[in-house]
Amino acid sequence: MITIANLDKYIHAFFHFVFTLLWVLFFRTQINNANKYKPLLVSFVFSVFFGILIEMLQLRLTTTRHADALDVLANIFGAILAVLLVLLYDKIKLQNTNK
């Protein structure tokens, strides 16, 4: 059996990466604003808030789970990666349309 140290942190980062990307796609269709960064910001803040909220609820409401600050950091890291990927995609798309 293969064991990966801190596998749960990678999973947290991956899920928040996907979570943030999905929210970016949603907010880009719902927010009619000239500011192209607003959906990114809203998605990032929503993802981070949700990750912190879940950890706080685990701390307060469950006896079988525990809150972990490193889980929150992994969530934030995943959300940052998603935002950076979208920014990179937008930059490449803009460069290709200007050719």
Side-chain angles (χ1 to χ4, degrees):
M1 181 174 177
I2 298 173
T3 58
I4 300 173
N6 298 314
L7 178 62
D8 68 312
K9 305 307 179 244
Y10 294 110
I11 293 169
H12 273 267
F14 174 75
F15 279 122
H16 272 267
F17 173 81
V18 173
F19 186 65
T20 305
L21 281 179
L22 292 174
W23 280 112
V24 168
L25 294 173
F26 173 76
F27 285 127
R28 281 194 167 177
T29 62
Q30 299 301 313
I31 298 175
N32 296 325
N33 192 321
N35 184 349
K36 68 179 184 176
Y37 299 110
K38 188 171 183 179
L40 286 171
L41 179 63
V42 171
S43 300
F44 177 78
V45 169
F46 185 72
S47 179
V48 170
F49 174 76
F50 183 76
I52 292 170
L53 178 65
I54 292 299
E55 291 301 316
M56 289 173 55
L57 291 173
Q58 286 183 107
L59 177 68
R60 301 284 183 204
L61 300 179
T62 67
T63 57
T64 58
R65 307 213 20 127
H66 65 280
D68 187 353
L70 293 178
D71 286 351
V72 173
L73 290 177
N75 297 344
I76 292 170
F77 181 72
I80 289 171
L81 284 179
V83 168
L84 291 176
L85 179 71
V86 171
L87 290 172
L88 179 63
Y89 173 80
D90 287 347
K91 182 178 179 180
I92 291 170
K93 187 176 173 185
L94 180 63
Q95 288 174 346
N96 289 337
T97 58
N98 290 334
K99 288 185 178 182

